[in-house]
Each structure stands twice: as structure tokens, then as C-alpha cells.
Amino acid sequence: MKIKALILGACFAVAALPAMADGYNRVTVSYENENYSPNEGGDGFSANGFGVEYTRGFGVASFPLYIEAGLKATFGFHNESEKEGRVKVEDKFSAISLNIPVNVAYRIDLGAGNMSVTPYTGLNFRVRCTAQDKITASYNDESESETLNWFSKDDMGKTANRFQMGWNIGARFNYGAFGIGLGYTLDFMKFYSNGDYKISTGMFNVGLSYTF
């Protein structure tokens, strides 16, 4: 309930932003690399994928300080396989998330044409839509597959967290309406927790953006 309350609070905050000064819109396409790190036992892995984001920015007073809020969809994939004798086992992981980032950004003009740098920091509210592993065992020309849903208690023993909150930090280099940015999100809440076994997540991204 606390997590849902946080997400609802973020939505109300975004809805209240139009009352502030006029601002701007931005669309971003990004490369996403999400790291899944267990605290004990087993190896972690990184899921590579992409993200699509819409951001609305609002000016604060007369400073080049802005409140930015958006909606971002991320898609991550990871494949790994191992072979023992004639048996090959392949694991294909995939995940889809919806994110609500709310950041404070400050624009620093570089004094050269339309170039500027905008560092930012804030919170990210994540809703995980899907997360699953498709495991396929092959022997000669025969194969068997099984799909494990991270949100199924029957499959995982305990369901993963659909809701996570994290901390954003990053910066964008802007040239006119175009920009390139680097960012990192560290989730405060674990992706998966079952007794002493926990999996933490963090996401690095590189994005190309257009502001209008």
C-alpha cells in the first residue's frame, strides 16, 4: 500500500505541474542497460534494451531551474546458454517496465551558440509490466521449453516486486533542440526478495533527445 501511495503521489504531482511557469516538451530514444545483482549465490547479469520517453519541463521562477516529469517505457533482454555434452540449455530473459521520472534540472549555458549542459537528479517510480525467463533444453533435434514468470509464486516461490522507487542522476548536452544524455537510476526497493536472497537493480542509459 505504501508503494502504491508513492506512485499515486507522483501522479498527482505531475498533474499539478501545469500550474507552474511555461515550459517545454522533449522526446527521447535511449539505449538501456539494466543490471540485476543478487546479494548472495549465483551470478548477476545485465539486460540490454531500449527506452522511449516523453518529458514535460516547467521553469521555476526566473532561474534556469526546471522541474521535469515524464513517462518512459523500457524494454530489456538478456540471453545466455551453456552446453553439457549433447545437451544445450538456453535462457532468454525479457522485461518491460513503465517509469515515471520526476527530476530537478539546471541548465548551464556554455556561451557558444546554442550549446548548454543540463545536470539533473530526482526520483523514479517504476511499474514492472513483465519479467520472465524462457528456458529451452535441446538434445540433438529435440527440445523442450519452459517459461518462468517472475510475478508467479508458483514459478519463483515468491513474487518479484512490481513497484519500485529509485534515484535518478545524469546530465544532457544540448545543441539547439537536440541533445545527448547519460543517466543512471538506482532502485531503492529490491526487484526480488525471498528470505535472505535479494536481487538489486540499477539502470544505465544513453539517450538522444529532441526538445520542442
Side-chain angles (χ1 to χ4, degrees), residues 14-33:
V14 172
L17 287 175
M20 303 177 68
D22 291 338
Y24 51 87
N25 302 287
R26 186 172 62 247
V27 290
T28 305
V29 177
S30 58
Y31 160 74
E32 305 285 335
N33 179 274

Side-chain angles (χ1 to χ4, degrees), residues 168-206:
N168 296 318
I169 187 170
R172 287 182 299 275
F173 171 77
N174 312 294
Y175 182 76
F178 299 93
I180 181 170
L182 301 174
Y184 184 75
T185 299
L186 176 64
D187 292 311
F188 301 144
M189 301 174 180
K190 306 297 183 185
F191 166 65
Y192 182 77
S193 179
N194 190 353
D196 293 332
Y197 182 75
K198 304 178 188 299
I199 298 178
S200 302
T201 50
M203 181 175 289
F204 169 78
N205 64 76
V206 180

